[in-house]
Amino acid sequence: MDREYTIVGTRMTRTDSLAKVTGSASFTADLKLPRMLCAKVLRSPHPHAKILNIDTSRALRLPGVKAVVTAADAHGVKWGVFKYTQDHPMIAVDRVRYVGEDVAGVAAADEETALEALDLIQVDYEPLPAVFNPEDAMKKDAPLIHEEYANNINVHVHIEVGEVDEAFGQAHLVREDTFHAAGEAYSTLEPYATVASYANGYLDLWMPNAAPHVRAKALSNLLKMPLNKVRVRRINVGGHFGSRSEVSPGDLVTSLLSMKAGCPVKLVLTREENAACTRQVHDIQATIKTGVKKDGTITAKEFRVVYDGGAYSSTGPIAASIPYYVYEEAYRFPNVRYNGYRVITNKGIRGMYGAHGRAFLCGNEMQLDMIARELGMDPMEIRLKNGLKVGEETATKSVIISGGLEEPIRRAAEQANWTEKRAGLTEGEGIGMGCVAVMCGFPMGFRSGSACYVKLNDDGQATIVTGICDTGMGNESMAIQIASEVLGIPVEDISLVNADTVVTNLDPGAYSQAASFVGGNAVKRACEDAKRQILGFAATKMNHPAEDLDIRDRTIISKTDPSKSMPMRWIVREAFFQGKPIAATGAYMPKVDFQREWIKKPYGQMAGTFSFGCSVAEVTVDKETGQIRIPHFVAAHDCGNPINTMAVEGQIEGSVQQAGVAVLTEETRWTEGLLLNPDLLEYKVPLACDMPEIEPLIVCSNDPEGPFGAKEGGLTTRMNAYSAVVCAAHNALGVPLNEFPLTPDRVLKALDAAKGGDKS
Amino acid sequence: MERFKVKLQLNGEAVELDVNPSETLLETLRDRLELTGAKDGCGLGACGSCTVLLNGLPTRSCIVLTAELDGSEVSTIESLADGTKPAPVQESFMEKGAVQCGFCTPGMILTAKGLLDRNSRPTKEEIIRSISSNLCRCTGYKKIVEAVEAASSTETPKT
Amino acid sequence: MITSKFEFRSPKDVEEAVRLYREFQGEAVYLSGGTDLVPRMKLGLEKPKAVIDLKRIVPLTTVEDQGDWIRIGPLARIFDLKQNDLVGDYFPALEASLEATSCESLQMRGTIGGNLLQNSRCLFYNQSEFWRRSKGFCLKMGGESCNAVPGAKTCFANYCSDNAPALCTLSAEIELSGPDEVRRLNLEELYTNKADKPFDLQPGEILTAIFVPKKKSIGGYEKLRVRGAIDYPLLSAAFSFVDGTGKLAIGAVGPKPYVVEMKQPSHDAIGEAVEVVLKQVRPVGNTVLDPDYRKRMIPVLAGRLINKVMEGAK
């Protein structure tokens, strides 16, 4: 690095934390507008049924009810991320496909009246046969849930690289295993909510979202309104993890109610509604076949992965691909065949998870350990041998421009005393390693990039305007920190205006790990432009070459002669005088292959860069009870270069809970399309007392493209922490573990199965 | 349905309320008094986001009826700072990076405050036991524990 | 929100409370800490006309050394009780069960009486009104048959009190005060062995005291749960050894604690005691862990607990 940064890389107190510790930070449910009404949604009690008739007349007559909406009030536009997956009307038209599907909405003066009105809406249903698991749904005689999806197969992602069958034929060792993982709940602490306020032809909206621009566009389509009349505004978001990426049925219902009632309307989902009626995580079954040479080099991979997609497409092909991509971005696969099937069932809607693909990823990693054992190799060695390095390409032709798997592996192993620990394990103890790499952004057409405006105010302070969205990870603080570093003014001199579609410019959002790499880059470039303008004026005013000037602590200063200096605000005022106020723009478009398409052309540069990570977990297993404890966890994450060290650590540590400990406790449980644990009591989000000692390690590969070398801030841990724990449990038990999460009953079943002869 | 009169010491001030008997303390705070710092995370007492101090004890306000509280003292997150100066426990949550999305934060801080008020020098185990009452989905709890540890050395012991 | 409409009363003594109960013709519920009752009202599992808050009845909140007995007021909070010296000195099994109850914040609100009289639980029952209507009402909601075991005419909900098994091992007695009489019975006699209506309580009866013989004991409590706090037990084991006799109680695998006495807790005696329990329990798939697993853990939990307690005494 050329020089030490002033504020980048420090443990800065996040700029949003004061409002959050004092309780003044507003979330959507906290909003209160004049004349605001309360909304409630009537939901389908059936997993699959025809709607024969809806009669809302009695509800409309109830005093206090201001509006009732059904599909008849919507515009017949269906939601789906891609043209070929637009299948979700958001308010059921003539058929319901999951329990909890939105059928009608009511806006009333208060919650009690709204609930009473729901009881007065008469819906006549004709129940249809339903199907709840993807293997059944693909059978010939299964009920067809959407006419357009034969065998209920929503999407089929097929990737084929090299000569797979030939490579298997020549392999020294081939293993095939099948793994199944129950779906998870995102369990954001904030239940979903929407406030819609329609007036004078314009619709203002607040809701927990991860990309305001993408959300506004989706709603403008669904409402058939011009995009400039749909404004999604900035609000604090109580956690996201993938769950707030897409437009939600509640957004449409609330918007329609507000437009009909002519008043602001607030919908707040209950915890149960949040679990059953907003997107949750796919159940996944993965069959994984791997061929290796004698020295452990992977020569062939074949995958068949079935994703339980619930009733509608949502992110469809993305969800059916990402687990594979984050794996091929870590390891070298010369020959690979991937078949991912996302299958429609009569269960709640599904989306992408920060920790998406549990069965696939830990299945691969555990199988790699089994292979290593058969070859007499250390699991670390086989990972090092196959890990991608800078300059190499992934199987589907993405170039790695920084990082590589080796350093995270070496750092994590060293910190965890990998070799010594492995040698000294006693009965019931295990140590395991999980690796992955993650794309920072992916192709989203012209929405892949971000743009930022900066203006310098008359006292020398700055306003940054960016579409960057913060769902809790600290993106707002990150943008301010970058601006502070570039402009040479302290953080408190910077005002941020963000995530407001009328004001801010396009940004890809906070769900493809693009916020620092793409959005941060745009902020940096805009501030650099502003700085250039400032130094240009300063050069004239100070009669000193601009190249020798810099801004430090609100002062223009000569790099070679520090006695030459001038307060920056003088220069800013000078610019105003000359009628050329400092106003700058910066944009960043990642270098990706825009021809790449998830199904039609899954080849080409996926992302501008990739982050790499390795987690090492130590476990102890009680073989009599099946209970697993994780005393110690090391997570190494290559974030390029941390903008805020403390914030990156926080991402890593949170990921250990959401994946590393979750693999022992978390699963959604179902009874015929009804969630058995739509709450926070029986859905087991780990508590402080369940957590291991965590050592987060930040690996700095200093990305050549990223702002100050930064990539993304912690997702690799979210993607590999459960692999590490599963591999450690496998190491301790020596038997295959094929069913996840690793609850104690499943652990004992695996031990019993192995006793029954299925030794591996 | 008859109303129910309740007198409270709320954030240091005497208030007299006329509530619906089925109203929870969380509803009273958020809907009636516009004190929205306490969050409704689950509505069934499972997550702790709605925690307030009731007579000094961390309490889930979503499963307490306001009608139960005549004569009680209630403190919400809004009362913790001294004017614009955050309390030491709030400061340490900020400095240690214990805040991410912020939804669990008010409840978590009040749970920590309740602990520190009765035990100004808790051990790490005692801290973990106390904050295991509250769910956090972002932080993995490590920095929260560190924040409470840091606060325990700055918080003035209550006598 | 709680959608049912009710009146709220806070009587100053037991007589007034019982009188109020009669006034509302039985459509009233008694409120203690509310950590079980309020969620039940929110889910629409209780729709009372009146809520009678017992917390202002001071004698119900105190702990008293009566010489041969320790009298525990049922409104004593779990958090206070676990720090009570009498409990710590005499009843280690109870102390451990109090510590294992839920989490610290809920221990501060929850009371021991409320813990004893919490309703039985089932994943197919502790759900919202919308959920239950979608699924169709089960036996415990007045329906035709069980939803956890389709077609069954028996309710399989689990009684998940942490403190009841511990109190059973200590041979606790309880006092119930009703409209007609005050009666005292062994805690074990409180249970009907029917999960849909787990308590043998007369309309209007209030749990007004818990009496535990004041005898030094050794003992402990073990709890199977997924997380280290908040969770209800998926299986629990309490053991106390008093005056040369041991008592084992197994909880959370049926509508009541299963209590077995043993003279000396030898390996064989433990095995026999566990056999007695295993013959009575019928765990089904209505919790987050597999029923066979929960049954299989009974001897493991019991054996480990008893051995730990007896080892500690050496």
Side-chain angles (χ1 to χ4, degrees):
Chain A
M1 260 174 265
D2 301 322
R3 66 169 179 113
E4 282 294 306
Y5 300 124
T6 308
I7 189 157
V8 160
T10 62
R11 305 179 72 80
M12 190 186 93
T13 295
R14 271 171 54 171
T15 54
D16 55 334
S17 51
L18 179 62
K20 287 174 176 174
V21 299
T22 55
S24 63
S26 275
F27 295 80
T28 303
D30 301 336
L31 296 176
K32 200 169 185 175
L33 302 175
R35 300 165 57 239
M36 190 161 79
L37 303 173
C38 173
K40 287 284 165 188
V41 175
L42 184 71
R43 302 186 176 282
S44 165
H46 300 289
H48 198 188
K50 270 188 194 161
I51 298 176
L52 303 176
N53 187 45
I54 304 178
D55 180 359
T56 61
S57 56
R58 284 176 67 217
L60 278 164
R61 284 199 298 271
L62 183 71
V65 171
K66 305 292 181 191
V68 179
V69 296
T70 65
D73 301 283
H75 303 277
V77 182
K78 292 178 180 175
W79 167 248
V81 172
F82 302 91
K83 282 212 165 64
Y84 55 88
T85 60
Q86 286 171 354
D87 58 13
H88 190 181
M90 294 273 167
I91 306 180
V93 180
D94 51 6
R95 215 204 271 208
V96 288
R97 298 179 172 90
Y98 66 94
V99 175
E101 183 160 359
D102 303 56
V103 173
V106 170
D110 54 55
E111 188 178 2
E112 206 179 324
T113 310
L115 285 170
E116 206 181 325
L118 292 188
D119 286 339
L120 297 174
I121 299 174
Q122 176 65 42
V123 184
D124 300 327
Y125 294 102
E126 180 190 318
L128 296 169
V131 61
F132 304 113
N133 94 51
E135 292 294 345
D136 289 345
M138 285 190 286
K139 285 178 186 157
K140 268 206 180 75
D141 55 348
L144 200 59
I145 302 170
H146 294 267
E147 296 302 327
E148 61 267 41
Y149 302 136
N151 301 316
N152 291 313
I153 295 172
N154 164 221
V155 292
H156 171 204
V157 175
H158 175 75
I159 296 165
E160 181 102 25
V161 176
E163 300 299 330
V164 179
D165 299 318
E166 201 182 309
F168 274 119
Q170 290 166 5
H172 167 73
L173 174 67
V174 176
R175 248 204 97 92
E176 183 176 323
D177 300 278
T178 296
F179 304 89
H180 173 255
E184 302 106 306
Y186 298 96
S187 302
T188 59
L189 262 276
E190 178 194 26
Y192 198 76
T194 308
V195 170
S197 177
Y198 182 78
N200 312 313
Y202 289 83
L203 180 65
D204 278 22
L205 289 149
W206 294 260
M207 80 286 276
N209 75 85
H213 290 280
V214 180
R215 184 69 59 103
K217 179 61 187 161
L219 279 164
S220 113
N221 290 350
L222 286 164
L223 294 163
K224 290 201 170 168
M225 275 172 78
L227 183 53
N228 71 317
K229 297 196 170 178
V230 180
R231 179 181 188 180
V232 173
R233 302 179 62 160
R234 188 247 169 226
I235 188 79
N236 288 295
V237 180
H240 156 46
F241 322 120
S243 69
R244 306 312 188 206
S245 304
E246 287 175 77
V247 65
S248 188
D251 301 341
L252 177 65
V253 173
T254 313
S255 299
L256 292 172
L257 285 169
S258 179
M259 293 167 81
K260 210 164 181 181
C263 300
V265 175
K266 176 160 80 178
L267 172 71
V268 181
L269 299 194
T270 63
R271 172 55 53 182
E272 178 192 11
E273 287 180 301
N274 187 73
C277 317
T278 70
R279 293 182 185 83
Q280 300 301 331
V281 185
H282 298 68
D283 297 43
I284 296 175
Q285 176 148 315
T287 300
I288 298 163
K289 188 174 167 187
T290 305
V292 293
K293 285 194 210 167
K294 206 169 184 175
D295 67 354
T297 304
I298 297 171
T299 52
K301 275 275 191 187
E302 183 171 6
F303 309 100
R304 179 182 185 271
V305 188
V306 176
Y307 301 82
D308 182 346
Y312 294 99
S313 279
S314 304
T315 46
I318 311 181
S321 307
I322 289 290
Y324 166 71
Y325 285 122
V326 298
Y327 206 58
E328 72 146 35
E329 288 155 9
Y331 294 110
R332 198 178 302 111
F333 304 146
N335 304 287
V336 57
R337 179 180 298 133
Y338 174 83
N339 282 301
Y341 301 91
R342 190 176 185 281
V343 180
I344 298 285
T345 60
N346 291 114
K347 283 153 88 180
I349 47 180
R350 308 298 175 93
M352 290 280 301
Y353 192 27
H356 190 59
R358 177 182 290 177
F360 179 85
L361 291 167
C362 65
N364 272 288
E365 290 286 271
M366 196 173 77
Q367 192 186 57
L368 202 55
D369 285 2
M370 293 171 174
I371 290 169
R373 181 187 295 190
E374 285 190 50
L375 297 175
M377 286 179 82
D378 181 319
M380 175 172 73
E381 294 306 321
I382 201 166
R383 284 166 174 77
L384 285 170
K385 181 171 270 306
N386 291 288
L388 284 174
K389 294 178 166 41
V390 174
E392 287 193 272
E393 270 186 2
T394 67
T396 61
K397 307 266 176 277
S398 284
V399 179
I400 307 299
I401 65 164
S402 71
L405 200 55
E406 181 170 346
E407 200 182 345
I409 291 179
R410 294 215 185 274
R411 288 279 305 279
E414 185 190 354
Q415 191 67 29
N417 286 322
W418 173 264
T419 308
E420 297 81 349
K421 281 264 168 64
R422 261 180 65 81
L425 293 170
T426 59
E427 172 70 14
E429 289 181 344
I431 186 166
M433 183 178 272
C435 299
V436 85
V438 170
M439 59 289 270
C440 300
F442 45 61
M444 293 167 59
F446 67 88
R447 288 194 175 79
S448 311
S450 182
C452 171
Y453 311 126
V454 181
K455 71 178 176 106
L456 268 289
N457 302 314
D458 35 338
D459 276 356
Q461 291 127 350
T463 301
I464 310 293
V465 183
T466 165
I468 286 177
C469 182
D470 193 333
T471 58
M473 69 290 273
N475 286 343
E476 291 179 352
S477 189
M478 175 270 293
I480 292 172
Q481 212 173 338
I482 286 177
S484 167
E485 182 70 48
V486 177
L487 293 172
I489 57 176
V491 162
E492 59 266 29
D493 284 11
I494 297 168
S495 306
L496 180 74
V497 178
N498 70 306
D500 180 329
T501 56
V502 163
V503 182
T504 60
N505 214 320
L506 275 182
D507 178 85
Y511 56 73
S512 62
Q513 304 75 248
S516 310
F517 185 73
V518 177
N521 244 328
V523 172
K524 179 165 177 273
R525 288 175 177 206
C527 292
E528 282 166 351
D529 181 12
K531 183 177 176 180
R532 254 190 309 277
Q533 295 178 36
I534 294 166
L535 295 184
F537 283 107
T540 312
K541 186 99 177 162
M542 293 167 75
N543 196 20
H544 193 86
E547 307 76 61
D548 187 50
L549 293 175
D550 201 355
I551 315 172
R552 282 178 212 159
D553 197 20
R554 303 179 175 125
T555 306
I556 315 285
I557 191 161
S558 159
K559 291 181 201 167
T560 49
D561 177 4
S563 72
K564 282 191 176 168
S565 72
M566 188 177 278
M568 189 181 89
R569 67 176 188 280
W570 293 10
I571 304 298
V572 172
R573 288 169 180 178
E574 178 66 22
F576 278 111
F577 255 124
Q578 295 187 21
K580 294 170 183 167
I582 309 294
T585 307
Y588 183 75
M589 180 59 82
K591 294 166 182 164
V592 298
D593 180 351
F594 290 104
Q595 300 305 309
R596 192 181 172 113
E597 206 284 332
W598 297 90
I599 293 177
K600 286 189 218 91
K601 187 183 174 285
Y603 310 97
Q605 190 72 25
M606 162 76 86
T609 194
F610 301 89
S611 61
F612 290 80
C614 174
S615 288
V616 174
E618 287 168 48
V619 302
T620 59
V621 189
D622 183 329
K623 287 186 181 175
E624 203 177 11
T625 64
Q627 285 170 320
I628 298 175
R629 283 193 332 106
I630 313 169
H632 192 220
F633 198 103
V634 176
H637 171 71
D638 163 24
C639 67
N641 192 33
I643 304 293
N644 185 340
T645 307
M646 200 158 65
V648 174
E649 284 173 4
Q651 288 300 299
I652 296 173
E653 290 156 11
S655 298
V656 174
Q657 181 218 45
Q658 237 177 64
V661 186
V663 76
L664 305 182
T665 64
E666 292 189 30
E667 64 181 305
T668 47
R669 305 177 69 93
W670 297 85
T671 172
E672 299 187 318
L674 274 165
L675 256 183
L676 277 166
N677 52 354
D679 55 3
L680 291 175
L681 178 63
E682 299 300 348
Y683 185 84
K684 308 295 185 184
V685 173
L687 301 167
C689 55
D690 303 313
M691 295 300 295
E693 278 296 324
I694 306 171
E695 291 190 71
L697 295 177
I698 294 175
V699 176
C700 298
S701 60
N702 204 25
D703 190 85
E705 277 284 311
F708 304 103
K711 301 198 267 196
E712 62 86 20
L715 198 78
T716 68
T717 309
R718 206 153 297 206
M719 288 284 196
N720 67 29
Y722 47 72
S723 302
V725 170
V726 167
C727 288
H730 175 249
N731 178 233
L733 294 167
V735 303
L737 302 165
N738 302 86
E739 288 284 331
F740 309 105
L742 288 178
T743 49
D745 44 353
R746 289 190 178 91
V747 171
L748 286 196
K749 268 184 193 159
L751 283 169
D752 290 349
K755 272 182 211 147
D758 179 26
K759 295 257 193 292
S760 86
Chain B
M1 192 55 47
E2 71 178 40
R3 310 283 287 176
F4 199 89
K5 280 203 191 316
V6 180
K7 285 184 189 168
L8 294 178
Q9 276 295 115
L10 175 63
N11 293 340
E13 278 179 44
V15 292
E16 220 176 310
L17 301 165
D18 196 15
V19 300
N20 183 328
S22 66
E23 191 171 316
T24 63
L25 175 57
L26 182 62
E27 286 165 339
T28 304
L29 293 172
R30 288 181 58 85
D31 303 341
R32 199 178 284 279
L33 303 170
E34 301 191 356
L35 291 167
T36 55
K39 306 299 177 198
D40 191 347
C42 74
L44 294 171
C47 76
S49 304
C50 63
T51 300
V52 300
L53 294 179
L54 173 58
N55 301 322
L57 301 178
T59 302
R60 284 145 147 78
S61 62
C62 77
I63 54 167
V64 171
L65 302 175
T66 307
E68 294 176 59
L69 303 181
D70 192 37
S72 303
E73 206 177 293
V74 174
S75 303
T76 69
I77 191 70
E78 287 87 351
S79 73
L80 222 57
D82 180 5
T84 55
K85 188 180 161 27
V89 62
Q90 290 172 309
E91 289 275 10
S92 60
F93 265 65
M94 290 168 61
E95 284 165 13
K96 293 291 172 186
V99 181
Q100 288 194 27
C101 85
F103 199 83
C104 79
T105 306
M108 197 63 92
I109 287 178
L110 288 172
T111 297
K113 174 74 176 154
L115 169 68
L116 294 170
D117 282 350
R118 61 180 192 275
N119 176 2
S120 62
R121 297 284 183 275
T123 62
K124 188 174 178 185
E125 288 65 36
E126 287 169 329
I127 293 168
I128 289 172
R129 188 187 323 170
S130 283
I131 66 159
S132 290
S133 298
N134 295 53
L135 264 65
C136 170
R137 193 49 155 168
C138 299
T139 64
Y141 306 100
K142 182 177 158 98
K143 296 201 187 314
I144 294 175
V145 174
E146 288 167 2
V148 183
E149 279 179 320
S152 75
S153 48
T154 51
E155 192 92 353
T156 330
K158 213 181 188 182
T159 44
Chain C
M1 71 185 303
I2 299 172
T3 52
S4 61
K5 298 280 152 267
F6 53 79
E7 293 189 22
F8 186 86
R9 295 285 188 275
S10 34
K12 296 287 182 298
D13 54 47
V14 171
E15 292 69 32
E16 190 190 348
V18 174
R19 194 169 62 242
L20 284 165
Y21 187 91
R22 293 173 85 166
E23 220 172 85
F24 287 98
Q25 292 165 350
E27 291 191 86
V29 290
Y30 294 123
L31 171 67
S32 178
T35 56
D36 181 42
L37 179 65
V38 178
R40 285 174 58 79
M41 291 198 292
K42 284 193 154 185
L43 294 173
L45 292 166
E46 300 275 0
K47 294 177 178 175
K49 291 272 161 57
V51 170
I52 302 168
D53 185 9
L54 304 177
K55 285 192 287 292
R56 314 243 163 205
I57 306 176
V58 177
L60 295 187
T61 63
T62 55
V63 179
E64 204 184 334
D65 185 344
Q66 296 184 331
D68 289 346
W69 301 84
I70 305 291
R71 181 193 162 283
I72 299 173
L75 273 280
R77 288 180 180 146
I78 289 169
F79 186 74
D80 297 335
L81 214 46
K82 79 176 185 188
Q83 295 174 81
N84 185 297
D85 290 341
L86 286 171
V87 171
D89 290 348
Y90 286 88
F91 316 130
L94 177 60
E95 187 189 31
S97 80
L98 293 162
E99 180 59 48
T101 305
S102 191
C103 63
E104 203 172 81
S105 291
L106 287 168
Q107 289 171 3
M108 288 171 174
R109 192 74 192 157
T111 65
I112 187 163
N115 191 274
L116 291 189
L117 292 179
Q118 64 176 277
N119 213 305
S120 53
R121 307 184 61 82
C122 170
L123 281 184
F124 293 78
Y125 169 74
N126 295 86
Q127 299 286 0
S128 70
E129 187 121 4
F130 168 80
W131 196 103
R132 289 177 285 123
R133 284 192 186 284
S134 300
K135 184 78 184 164
F137 283 179
C138 74
L139 277 176
K140 196 168 160 70
M141 310 162 201
E144 292 289 308
S145 62
C146 175
N147 280 338
V149 182
K153 299 290 180 191
T154 311
C155 175
F156 292 95
N158 298 298
Y159 174 60
C160 294
S161 167
D162 282 298
N163 309 144
L167 285 168
C168 286
T169 66
L170 293 160
S171 308
E173 297 181 7
I174 54 171
E175 178 190 85
L176 298 168
S177 304
D180 305 318
E181 56 167 354
V182 175
R183 57 186 180 123
R184 183 161 163 167
L185 59 159
N186 290 326
L187 173 57
E188 286 181 58
E189 294 171 306
L190 173 67
Y191 304 103
T192 60
N193 203 23
K194 291 191 173 68
D196 47 345
K197 194 182 168 300
F199 308 118
D200 188 11
L201 286 173
Q202 298 305 309
E205 274 189 328
I206 298 173
L207 173 63
T208 43
I210 300 160
F211 298 98
V212 192
K214 190 185 169 191
K215 292 177 182 170
K216 285 267 183 190
S217 67
I218 54 172
Y221 180 73
E222 290 288 336
K223 173 173 180 175
L224 181 71
R225 54 179 161 184
V226 175
R227 300 181 292 189
I230 299 183
D231 291 352
Y232 284 94
L234 295 159
L235 168 67
S236 64
F239 178 72
S240 293
F241 193 71
V242 194
D243 282 350
T245 302
K247 264 192 184 181
L248 170 71
I250 298 295
V253 279
K256 62 167 193 179
Y258 298 92
V259 188
V260 195
E261 219 177 272
M262 63 188 90
K263 267 295 166 202
Q264 277 302 324
S266 63
H267 181 78
D268 288 350
I270 297 170
E272 281 166 30
V274 165
E275 273 310 308
V276 172
V277 174
L278 288 175
K279 277 190 190 123
Q280 298 177 72
V281 299
R282 282 171 301 168
V284 303
N286 61 356
T287 74
V288 296
L289 291 181
D290 180 74
D292 295 335
Y293 172 79
R294 286 163 64 222
K295 192 165 181 178
R296 181 171 170 179
M297 286 304 106
I298 292 173
V300 177
L301 223 61
R304 286 184 179 190
L305 169 67
I306 296 171
N307 289 332
K308 190 172 87 183
V309 169
M310 300 315 291
E311 287 285 312
K314 277 178 194 163

